[in-house]
Amino acid sequence: MRTDHALITVHALGACLALGAALFWPRPGQAALLVPVAGHDLSAALRWADREAAPLLALDTASGRVIARVTDNASLLHALGQGLVPIAARGSGCAALSQEEKR
């Protein structure tokens, strides 16, 4: 009985990971928010964007927020290798805040 429960748990975990990847994994040509795993290391995101020739869409040095356009799936794997988690950014995440929204 325990192996049945373990197998069901593993399958459920796999399904959750696949759903999360489908929702949050950016596609080539889409914007991605680069979240450093080890704090606010802005330089790692900038080095990745330079190495992958990924155009920067938004750069906020105060908060360490970097949004870049993804060139291909291999560049996403390189980002993971450098300690950056790419999260798909929607159009609203790429737009600058208006004065009213900042308040």
Side-chain angles (χ1 to χ4, degrees):
M1 286 297 271
R2 289 183 185 246
T3 57
D4 292 340
H5 290 290
L7 187 60
I8 290 171
T9 302
V10 168
H11 282 280
L13 181 62
C16 289
L17 288 174
L19 179 62
L23 292 174
F24 300 114
W25 189 259
R27 287 152 186 82
Q30 187 179 8
L33 172 65
L34 302 172
V35 179
V37 175
H40 298 292
D41 188 14
L42 182 64
S43 62
L46 294 177
R47 282 192 311 270
W48 172 84
D50 185 46
R51 186 175 301 122
E52 299 296 327
L56 295 177
L57 301 175
L59 176 64
D60 184 4
T61 56
S63 67
R65 184 179 85 155
V66 176
I67 298 177
R69 188 168 311 280
V70 176
T71 54
D72 59 7
N73 283 324
S75 66
L76 293 173
L77 295 175
H78 294 153
L80 289 173
Q82 292 182 4
L84 300 168
V85 177
I87 300 173
R90 303 292 183 247
S92 60
C94 299
L97 294 176
S98 68
Q99 292 297 329
E100 291 180 13
E101 292 175 329
K102 288 182 182 179
R103 292 181 195 160

